[in-house]
Amino acid sequence: QWDAQVSNGQAIVHLFEWPWSNIASECESFLGPRGYGGVQVSPPNEYVKVYQGDVRRPWWERYQPVSYQISSRSGNDADFRDMVARCNNVGVRIYVDGVINHMSGWWPAGTGSTGTSGFDAGSQSYPGVPFSAYDFNDGNCNTGSGNIENYNDASQVRNCKLVGLNDLNQGSEYVREKIVDFLNYLVDMGVAGFRIDASKHMWPGDMKIIFDRVNNLNTDYFSAGARPFIFQEVIDLGGEAISGQEYVGNGRVTEFRYGKYLGEAFRGYNQLTYLSNFGEGWGMLDRAYSLVFIDNHDNQRGHGAGGANILTFRVSKWYKMANAFMLAWPYGFTRLMSSYYWDQNWVDGQDKNDWIGPPMDASDNIIGPSINADQTCGNGWICEHRWRQIYNMVQFRNVAHGTDMNDWWDNGNNQIAFCRGNRGFIAINNEGYDLKQSLQTCLSEGSYCDVISGNKEGGSCTGKTINVGSDGVAYIEITTMEDDGVLAIHAESKI
Ligand code: LM2
Ligand code: CA
């Protein structure tokens, strides 16, 4: 449950709001060939269609389930199945965002959904599962509003409603069975695991009972006895009643401090020199239990946790530097974010457009990404995972997998460099002046292609070429004029 069950790739990407058919093609044409391990997909099961004044089909409607029928704006059951098979066939795993803490919030009777089940939120009737009022936590919640009011009280965080969402009682045997059936339906199809949404809001012991009942992975694609990968979304920046540590017995846990601290460092509120013991040394979870990322679909738009220092595609130079550091650094299992663009509208420090959903047509169907000649995406999709600096660092991580960090160097401030065994070398310059320095790269003598400024194509390099001497030392230069503040070479970028 801690092992991502990848066939090879050591990083996964969240293709936020992508249609299943686009993900299937992306696995075949890009993710497989480029060494991505898998994809986190948006919730696939039936949910509320939200139309609320100006708010039309927000991304967050997917976090208001109506049933476990596989039917969403990304496609139906057959589309989903086709994607899972096609991605597995090219060695790319699918991880489902499992929304099992709650069902929908309150909506008037007759509100539509993305499937055929229908629901009545007021009487807590979800006939597609079926769930009824007995299956919810109202009787176990003691707050006046029925909502979570105080994050210092663990029992209300778990037994009361999160922002008005009808809170399922995972202490009930019947509820557990329905959730297990849903997860097993997906596992049997060939899914490799789950992001467990809102894990902080469920009791770890109840979750353990549920996960222990989930089937082994499908042997068409996985070895016999392989367990589903579980990564639990627990926002723990410290100072609350509930900690991420309580969940490590069930699977991995999202380490939100990781992206927050790197955001602060690259924005200049902390020096890169301190990153030499980044991870456990900074009070984060043990690397064997953590899932790490620079931003996610919540904190890239001011939801969730991390605050204003989170780096996103909007500050692309820092974003590429932070992702490069993450992918080069031997801590945790790594996840990348892949976004669509939206126009922000800042009013009193808040983006009034933080609800905007993916690009859609006049019938509110998602318009999936198109692929431009230069490999970037069109139709309003950012596709960070297709940026050269990012996909080449995914390859770096795969090449360096199994080695530790060694030969750390820094200038005492914001220039750093380190090796990964004798497999990879990276240097980062976040200083206002050039980095020009002879450094130990730990690589064997030869010429290497810097995979940040270019690609190794055939026998040559479209970017900087680095000459490593017989002593492993190379002259490294990253000027402030360059597009990127990173340089990276590895055993497979030798030319
Ligand atoms: C998560 N992790 O624990 C997701 O990552 C996050 O995206 C989800 O919130 C949340 N938990 C529940 O699954 C999002 C979004 C909320 C949104 C909910 C439900 O961040 O703003 O709440 O999904 O769709 C919305 C409205 C809120 C309203 C609620 C209920 O923004 O004002 O509360 O729906 O109708 C009355
Ligand atoms: Ca709960």
Side-chain angles (χ1 to χ4, degrees):
Q1 295 177 170
W2 301 266
D3 181 333
Q5 303 294 352
V6 291
S7 65
N8 155 48
Q10 298 299 321
I12 62 175
V13 55
H14 181 20
L15 295 181
F16 180 49
E17 287 278 3
W18 278 47
W20 310 146
S21 61
N22 292 92
I23 294 180
S25 329
E26 191 70 356
C27 285
E28 294 167 342
S29 64
F30 191 84
L31 301 175
R34 294 285 178 188
Y36 278 88
V39 181
Q40 177 187 319
V41 301
S42 284
N45 54 302
E46 182 178 6
Y47 50 85
V48 179
K49 279 184 178 172
V50 171
Y51 291 96
Q52 208 179 17
D54 290 346
V55 177
R56 293 176 63 83
R57 310 303 304 269
W59 62 270
W60 49 252
E61 65 179 20
R62 293 179 91 118
Y63 293 91
Q64 302 207 17
V66 161
S67 81
Y68 298 134
Q69 185 182 102
I70 304 304
S71 187
S72 70
R73 269 217 289 184
S74 291
N76 61 25
D77 191 284
D79 301 325
F80 188 85
R81 246 170 227 285
D82 180 61
M83 168 187 74
V84 171
R86 286 168 62 190
C87 290
N88 273 323
N89 285 337
V90 293
V92 179
R93 305 312 190 191
I94 298 293
Y95 308 93
V96 168
D97 194 345
V99 186
I100 58 174
N101 171 63
H102 53 264
M103 299 300 280
S104 74
W106 186 86
W107 298 95
T111 298
S113 72
T114 58
T116 56
S117 316
F119 69 109
D120 180 59
S123 62
Q124 298 185 313
S125 164
Y126 297 92
V129 181
F131 283 139
S132 69
Y134 299 109
D135 303 317
F136 293 87
N137 260 329
D138 305 71
N140 300 321
C141 167
N142 299 318
T143 64
S145 64
N147 282 320
I148 299 165
E149 295 171 1
N150 175 5
Y151 276 81
N152 292 316
D153 174 353
S155 76
Q156 63 170 272
V157 173
R158 286 163 173 157
N159 292 346
C160 296
K161 292 178 181 179
L162 170 64
V163 295
L165 300 161
N166 284 329
D167 201 58
L168 285 166
N169 176 10
Q170 291 83 12
S172 137
E173 187 48 38
Y174 175 80
V175 171
R176 287 173 187 159
E177 263 169 42
K178 293 298 164 186
I179 294 174
V180 169
D181 288 349
F182 169 49
L183 302 182
N184 275 336
Y185 183 75
L186 295 165
V187 162
D188 292 348
M189 220 186 259
V191 152
F194 303 93
R195 168 198 187 255
I196 303 294
D197 182 69
S199 293
K200 185 196 276 185
H201 305 284
M202 295 181 278
W203 297 93
D206 291 340
M207 295 169 75
K208 179 168 169 40
I209 294 169
I210 291 170
F211 300 148
D212 283 351
R213 289 186 196 166
V214 176
N215 295 338
N216 290 337
L217 298 182
N218 185 325
T219 51
D220 289 348
Y221 309 114
F222 302 90
S223 51
R227 297 296 296 154
F229 182 38
I230 300 287
F231 54 106
Q232 303 156 93
E233 194 238 12
V234 180
I235 299 177
D236 173 15
L237 299 174
E240 285 181 17
I242 294 167
S243 74
Q245 190 65 37
E246 295 173 49
Y247 292 82
V248 300
N250 290 340
R252 288 194 186 246
V253 175
T254 53
E255 181 49 276
F256 276 83
R257 288 170 287 196
Y258 191 95
K260 178 178 187 279
Y261 291 155
L262 287 184
E264 290 164 357
F266 282 95
R267 285 180 189 271
Y269 302 116
N270 204 348
Q271 292 155 282
L272 300 191
T273 171
Y274 297 126
L275 297 178
S276 64
N277 67 342
F278 197 58
E280 296 89 346
W282 283 48
M284 288 184 253
L285 294 167
D286 188 289
R287 63 191 59 197
Y289 299 131
S290 66
L291 182 112
V292 297
F293 47 93
I294 301 302
D295 62 332
N296 77 351
H297 74 279
D298 284 321
N299 64 20
Q300 72 167 198
R301 48 176 49 72
H303 284 235
N309 290 331
I310 293 296
L311 300 172
T312 73
F313 64 86
R314 293 179 199 271
V315 284
S316 61
K317 187 169 181 180
W318 283 330
Y319 190 65
K320 289 179 281 183
M321 293 167 86
N323 273 290
F325 176 83
M326 174 179 83
L327 290 166
W329 190 248
Y331 172 90
F333 193 78
T334 49
R335 177 181 64 190
L336 297 158
M337 178 68 200
S338 190
S339 319
Y340 55 81
Y341 179 81
W342 77 100
D343 280 317
Q344 295 180 312
N345 175 20
W346 291 98
V347 180
D348 297 330
Q350 221 223 308
D351 172 18
K352 292 282 175 206
N353 285 346
D354 66 353
W355 59 271
I356 289 181
M360 62 183 196
D361 66 19
S363 317
D364 302 343
N365 298 309
I366 299 177
I367 304 173
S370 57
I371 306 299
N372 301 322
D374 67 357
Q375 294 294 303
T376 60
C377 291
N379 288 348
W381 299 81
I382 307 288
C383 292
E384 296 90 319
H385 71 286
R386 278 179 167 265
W387 294 0
R388 180 186 66 239
Q389 298 85 345
I390 290 183
Y391 67 69
N392 275 341
M393 285 307 297
V394 170
Q395 192 195 4
F396 180 111
R397 191 169 191 80
N398 296 342
V399 170
H401 184 57
T403 66
D404 218 328
M405 188 281 288
N406 48 283
D407 289 77
W408 175 274
W409 170 87
D410 63 60
N411 72 338
N413 202 33
N414 289 307
Q415 295 181 339
I416 60 172
F418 58 89
C419 302
R420 290 289 304 276
N422 59 2
R423 303 288 290 164
F425 167 84
I426 184 171
I428 301 181
N429 181 14
N430 199 32
E431 210 72 82
Y433 52 90
D434 299 346
L435 183 156
K436 292 183 173 175
Q437 185 86 31
S438 284
L439 292 169
Q440 177 55 252
T441 68
C442 313
L443 294 169
S444 62
E445 182 174 12
S447 294
Y448 292 83
C449 182
D450 164 31
V451 297
I452 300 296
S453 57
N455 279 318
K456 178 180 154 185
E457 274 170 17
S460 60
C461 180
T462 62
K464 295 186 214 170
T465 297
I466 308 303
N467 297 308
V468 174
S470 57
D471 56 358
V473 173
Y475 174 70
I476 303 296
E477 183 172 295
I478 309 173
T479 70
T480 56
M481 299 291 290
E482 294 174 39
D483 290 343
D484 295 305
V486 185
L487 180 151
I489 55 180
H490 57 74
E492 312 250 305
S493 83
K494 199 169 191 170
I495 47 178

